[in-house]
């Protein structure tokens, strides 16, 4: 090789080395940091290994516990989406059959590490159960009759009711050959239980009840403490809708309705106690369903919408319940319940905020609850639920009063203003001049923005709209100078997407709509249109530099624009994010030149001063499920928090000092 060639090669290698990340730098990665307590539906536990439990969430993710529901870990999710039911093999705790929402069967034989379809030629399956007295035996209720498998689902043959929609089938654990089934009710709504005493060769019907049209699913439960006692209950009008309960004391020959209580799910424990979900909470009966009492103390917990129940074959007083707020466990026959869902994350968080003063709290609003963390989202505590009282869907910390927050809530009819003085634990509704006051569905109040004056945080601004039946409609713009106790009307503005009060001059405000930017310099009495250079459409968010209030940043569907003259004119600073919708812009309070932009379904970007462009920091972030919710810890600005649909809360720990340098490195 010639000397010049070697010199050129050496320079090229050196340049390539400069473009590679340094060996000591690890690219920042978003890490899961969601609270525990995600919604659960189907649940099943092993009869041979009682500490092994399986549960599924509404989107078909499956979790397994090996310590009797004390902790959980996610296993491989079977294909097909939502899981309607789970069935654990009676002799092998690692073999599980899942029935998905499409009526297909999927099986794992290794505890959930891998799943594969079974019964591919079966009609739509409504229920699958173990066939008692036959190892490996399964029976399935389908839209084309009852099918049976003798080899744990590998092969199937039709047993009865060809071409008939069967809603439920069950095998009597005490009487060999005794099978029960429910078929779809006729047009009059009459429902029958069918019984076979010869392994399904012949069947006889028993009238159950009238007026059970629209029954979609039925379920049998046997009382293992009382041979011959069996229960059947029905979903009406929709899956998992509470329906009537019936009881037989003679193996299904005759039936009675023991009470008028409707149930969504029912289990019978080893000592014959019944536990049922009527839709909300859990009921208990010690007299075979003749009477029911609410479980739990003192508020009838579990204070949740309960979907399914599971009993322990080895411990009759241990009961598990799945609900909207995760998994509940009682070890004393329902007298007390506790949350037991460590390892099952909340999937959807809608708001996240970090306290600027006082306790170093991170608050997340997720699935109707407020969660609080004091250790950078490593652990969370649920501090409020909308079931307990009205809760917020949007929150803002008071910038000067520790532990105080404002929130926007929805009370089924209208948006309302909320306030908490105890770090989000309890919320009180503040008076507001626009209220429905019992106007029902013909009334609506919607908040567009809630803004605080940074210099005087007791001064609040709310912009929105109202509709009162026979009472008018239109926009409103109001101000309170005492934290929301009293209000005054201001000249109205169009529906706003953003409202800012200048940090050093309370009389200067900016109001952003999708098409215009308005500025007031007389405390919102008069407004003028500014913002020359903005795209004129697709504007979504506005941020002001607290150190230099004349510098503003606007997020649009064409990236980020900046102003250095108090909003009069703007220029683009959108290299790298020209064609994305910006949902939020954050500034590092210790270094206002360090900016972060949240781009809807495109991820999070950081402004690179050296490269004069935006670079993505999306490693580990599900960008297609990211809708722009982003928060920065003002006292530890190298920590970012985001929410994403399906992933709950995520945290990003940025490298101190080298963050910008690292983001400029590229590979040749």
């Amino acid at each position: 090789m010639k000397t010049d060639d070697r010199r050129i090669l050496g320079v090229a290698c050196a340049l390539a080395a400069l473009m590679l990340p340094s060996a000591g730098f690890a690219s920042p990665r978003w890490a899961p940091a969601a609270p525990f307590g995600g919604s659960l539906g189907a649940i099943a536990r092993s009869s041979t290994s009682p500490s092994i439990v399986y549960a599924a969430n509404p989107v078909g993710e499956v979790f397994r516990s090996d310590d009797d529901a004390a902790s959980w870990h996610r296993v491989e999710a079977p294909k097909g989406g939502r899981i309607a039911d789970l069935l654990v093999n009676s002799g092998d705790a690692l073999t599980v059959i899942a029935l998905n929402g499409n009526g297909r069967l999927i099986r794992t034989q290794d505890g959930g590490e891998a799943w594969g379809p079974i019964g591919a030629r079966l009609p739509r399956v409504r229920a699958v159960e173990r066939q008692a007295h036959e190892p490996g035996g399964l029976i399935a209720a389908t839209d084309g009759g009852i099918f049976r498998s003798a080899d744990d689902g590998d092969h199937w043959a039709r047993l009865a009711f060809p071409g008939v929609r069967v809603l439920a089938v069950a095998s009597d654990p005490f009487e060999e050959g005794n099978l029960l089934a429910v078929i779809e009710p006729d047009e009059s709504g009459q429902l029958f239980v069918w019984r076979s005493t010869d392994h399904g060769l012949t069947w006889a019907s028993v009238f159950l009840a009238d007026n059970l049209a629209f029954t979609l699913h039925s379920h049998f439960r046997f009382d293992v403490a009382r041979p011959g006692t069996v229960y059947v209950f029905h979903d009406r009008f929709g899956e998992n809708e509470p329906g009537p309960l019936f009881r037989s004391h003679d193996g299904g020959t005759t039936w009675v309705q023991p009470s008028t209580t409707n149930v969504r799910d029912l289990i019978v424990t080893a000592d014959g106690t019944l536990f049922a979900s009527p839709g909300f909470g859990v009921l208990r009966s010690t007299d075979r369903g003749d009477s029911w009492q609410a479980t739990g103390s003192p508020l009838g917990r579990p204070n949740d919408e309960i979907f399914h129940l599971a009993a322990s074959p080895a411990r009759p007083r241990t009961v598990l319940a799945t609900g909207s707020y995760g998994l509940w466990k009682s070890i004393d026959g329902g007298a007390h319940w506790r949350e037991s869902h460590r390892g099952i994350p909340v999937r959807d968080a809608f708001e996240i905020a970090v306290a600027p003063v006082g306790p170093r709290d991170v608050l997340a609003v997720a699935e109707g609850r407020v969660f609080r963390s004091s250790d950078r989202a490593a652990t969370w505590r649920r501090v409020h639920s909308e079931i307990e009282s009205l809760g917020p869907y949007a929150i803002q910390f008071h910038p000067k009063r520790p532990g105080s927050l404002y929130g926007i809530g929805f009370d089924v009819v209208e948006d309302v203003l909320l306030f908490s003085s105890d770090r989000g634990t309890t919320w009180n509704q503040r008076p507001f001049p626009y209220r429905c006051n019992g106007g029902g569905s013909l009334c609506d109040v919607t908040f567009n923005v809630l803004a605080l004056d940074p210099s005087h945080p007791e001064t609040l601004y709310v912009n929105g709209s109202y509709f009162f039946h026979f009472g008018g409609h239109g926009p409103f713009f109001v101000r309170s100078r005492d934290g929301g106790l009293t209000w005054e009307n201001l000249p109205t503005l169009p529906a706003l997407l953003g409202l800012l009060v200048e940090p050093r001059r309370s009389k200067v405000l900016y109001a952003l709509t999708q098409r215009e930017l308005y500025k007031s310099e007389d405390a919102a009495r008069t407004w003028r249109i500014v913002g020359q250079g903005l795209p004129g459409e697709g504007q979504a968010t506005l941020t002001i530099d607290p150190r230099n209030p004349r510098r503003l940043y606007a997020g649009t569907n064409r990236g980020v624009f900046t102003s250095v003259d108090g909003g009069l004119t703007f220029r683009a600073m959108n290299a790298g994010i020209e064609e994305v919708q910006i949902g939020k812009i954050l500034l590092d309070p210790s270094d206002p030149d360090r900016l972060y932009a949240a781009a809807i379904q495109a991820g999070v970007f950081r402004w690179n001063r050296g490269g004069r462009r935006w670079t993505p920091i999306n490693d580990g972030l599900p960008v297609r499920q990211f809708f722009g919710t982003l928060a920065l810890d003002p006292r530890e600005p190298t920590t970012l928090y985001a929410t994403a649909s399906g992933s709950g809360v995520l945290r990003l720990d940025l490298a101190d000092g080298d963050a910008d340098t690292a983001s400029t490195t590229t590979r040749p």
Side-chain angles (χ1 to χ4, degrees):
M1 182 180 294
K2 294 181 180 179
T3 302
D4 290 345
D5 292 337
R6 287 195 297 267
R7 184 180 298 112
I8 293 172
L9 179 61
V11 171
C13 291
L15 290 172
L18 289 173
M19 298 176 72
L20 289 169
S22 63
F25 177 76
S27 177
R29 179 178 176 81
W30 290 92
F36 296 144
S39 179
L40 289 176
I43 184 170
R45 66 188 312 157
S46 168
S47 59
T48 55
S49 302
S51 293
I52 297 181
V53 192
Y54 297 86
N57 68 13
V59 297
E61 294 175 330
V62 177
F63 298 83
R64 189 177 94 199
S65 172
D66 298 322
D67 53 12
D68 198 18
S71 63
W72 298 81
H73 63 277
R74 184 161 42 202
V75 298
E76 184 68 25
K79 294 181 180 179
R82 185 181 63 86
I83 301 298
D85 202 4
L86 293 166
L87 181 67
V88 184
N89 189 295
S90 57
D92 179 9
L94 299 182
T95 297
V96 184
I97 293 175
L99 171 62
N100 70 20
N102 298 319
R104 312 311 302 172
L105 298 177
I106 312 101
R107 183 181 64 191
T108 179
Q109 295 176 301
D110 54 13
E113 297 305 315
W115 297 79
I118 59 173
R121 296 186 178 181
L122 290 176
R124 179 187 177 94
V125 178
R126 297 278 168 172
V128 61
E129 299 290 346
R130 290 284 164 194
Q131 187 165 8
H133 314 289
E134 294 190 20
L138 295 170
I139 47 177
T142 80
D143 284 357
I146 296 175
F147 286 76
R148 177 166 57 191
S149 171
D151 53 12
D152 206 36
D154 288 333
H155 303 88
W156 295 83
R158 183 181 281 111
L159 178 64
F161 302 107
V164 175
R165 178 176 293 173
V166 181
L167 305 183
V169 64
S171 176
D172 193 326
F174 298 103
E175 294 292 332
E176 187 172 357
N178 189 22
L179 302 179
L180 299 174
V182 176
I183 66 172
E184 187 177 28
D186 59 21
E187 294 180 356
S188 67
Q190 290 187 327
L191 199 64
F192 294 83
V193 172
W194 291 76
R195 185 186 183 196
S196 172
T197 58
D198 54 9
H199 300 276
L201 295 178
T202 61
W203 295 79
S205 64
V206 178
F207 175 73
L208 191 65
D210 285 313
N211 302 318
L212 286 181
F214 307 107
T215 295
L216 301 179
H217 297 82
S218 297
H219 314 269
F220 289 103
R221 299 287 187 265
F222 290 91
D223 188 338
V224 296
R226 303 182 182 95
T229 299
V230 59
Y231 303 87
V232 64
F233 59 99
H234 314 274
D235 301 336
R236 300 194 65 202
F237 308 107
E239 190 171 359
N240 288 328
E241 287 295 320
L245 172 70
F246 298 87
R247 180 185 70 213
S248 173
H249 64 84
D250 51 17
T253 302
T254 60
W255 296 86
V256 297
Q257 187 173 0
S259 73
T260 58
T261 299
N262 288 345
V263 302
R264 171 183 281 169
D265 196 15
L266 173 83
I267 59 170
V268 188
T269 63
D271 63 1
T273 302
L274 275 62
F275 290 88
S277 165
F280 191 90
V282 176
L283 302 177
R284 177 178 56 207
S285 173
T286 57
D287 55 10
R288 301 193 304 164
D290 289 329
S291 62
W292 296 88
Q293 301 82 37
T295 66
S297 169
L299 299 175
R301 295 177 70 187
N303 200 17
D304 192 3
E305 182 181 15
I306 299 301
F307 300 121
H308 290 284
L309 301 162
S312 170
R315 293 178 285 274
R317 293 175 63 79
T318 295
V319 182
L320 304 178
T322 65
S324 296
Y325 292 169
L327 187 122
W328 301 82
K329 182 177 181 179
S330 174
I331 60 174
D332 55 9
H336 302 86
W337 296 84
R338 60 181 176 84
E339 299 173 15
S340 187
H341 39 232
R342 181 162 57 92
I344 300 174
V346 172
R347 297 188 70 255
D348 293 309
F350 309 105
E351 180 77 281
I352 192 160
V354 186
V357 294
R360 306 196 68 164
D361 291 339
V362 181
L363 259 64
V365 179
E367 298 178 3
R369 291 161 289 173
V370 178
F371 294 88
R372 184 174 67 222
S373 174
S374 300
D375 55 9
R376 302 173 67 249
T379 61
W380 295 87
R381 176 188 175 193
R382 180 175 64 83
V383 294
H384 184 270
S385 165
E386 63 180 10
I387 290 177
E388 298 164 2
S389 63
L390 186 62
Y393 66 82
I395 53 176
Q396 286 190 42
F397 274 99
H398 193 293
K400 296 184 178 181
R401 188 189 299 174
S404 294
L405 301 96
Y406 293 98
I408 302 174
F410 181 68
D411 70 353
V412 182
V413 174
E414 60 186 333
D415 283 343
V416 295
L417 181 66
L418 303 175
F419 180 76
S420 173
S421 59
D422 55 9
R423 304 166 64 195
T425 302
T426 60
W427 295 83
N428 299 307
Q429 188 172 334
R430 289 289 165 97
F432 197 72
Y434 294 87
R435 292 296 314 278
C436 286
N437 294 321
S441 61
L442 298 178
C443 176
D444 178 61
V445 176
T446 300
F447 288 11
N448 295 325
V449 295
L450 165 66
L452 280 64
D453 182 340
S455 301
H456 304 89
E458 306 306 317
T459 297
L460 314 178
Y461 294 86
V462 179
N463 169 268
S465 60
Y466 69 95
F467 173 84
F468 300 149
H469 191 48
F470 299 124
H473 62 88
F476 62 79
F477 186 40
V478 294
R479 175 174 57 205
S480 172
R481 299 181 186 273
D482 53 14
L485 299 178
T486 61
W487 297 87
E488 60 180 315
N489 283 299
L490 297 171
T492 58
L493 287 169
L496 298 183
L497 299 173
L499 181 67
L500 291 176
V501 183
E502 191 173 293
R504 300 177 187 174
R505 295 186 298 168
S506 295
K507 291 186 176 182
V508 179
L509 290 85
Y510 298 90
L512 184 72
T513 72
Q514 192 175 29
R515 294 182 177 275
E516 305 287 357
L517 176 64
Y518 296 84
K519 183 175 183 179
S520 173
E521 297 182 281
D522 56 7
R525 287 194 295 272
T526 61
W527 296 86
R528 61 188 175 111
I529 296 177
V530 294
Q532 182 180 347
L534 287 174
E537 62 178 0
Q539 297 160 177
T541 187
L542 190 68
T543 302
I544 192 168
D545 186 338
R547 293 189 179 184
N548 178 11
R550 292 182 60 80
R551 182 183 295 275
L552 284 79
Y553 299 94
T556 76
N557 60 5
R558 299 182 187 177
V560 177
F561 289 73
T562 184
S563 170
V564 295
D565 56 10
L568 299 180
T569 61
F570 283 79
R571 60 177 177 82
M573 55 175 297
N574 55 12
I577 52 173
E578 296 90 344
E579 301 299 327
V580 298
Q581 176 67 62
I582 305 300
K584 197 164 191 177
I585 302 171
L586 298 177
L587 282 71
D588 184 336
S590 65
D591 183 358
D593 288 330
R594 185 172 292 172
L595 288 80
Y596 304 92
I600 297 173
Q601 293 189 300
V604 179
F605 293 78
R606 174 173 50 196
W607 178 247
N608 185 289
R609 289 170 294 183
R612 306 297 297 172
R613 65 182 295 106
W614 296 89
T615 57
I617 44 175
N618 291 331
D619 191 11
L621 181 70
V623 295
R624 300 307 299 173
Q625 286 74 49
F626 175 68
F627 294 95
T629 303
L630 188 67
L632 175 74
D633 188 337
R635 290 178 282 183
E636 192 173 350
T638 57
T639 301
L640 290 172
Y641 300 92
T643 70
S645 177
S647 299
V649 177
L650 300 104
R651 185 186 70 218
L652 181 68
D653 297 313
L654 297 164
D656 291 333
D658 292 336
D660 287 336
T661 302
S663 65
T664 64
T665 58
T666 57
R667 294 186 182 272

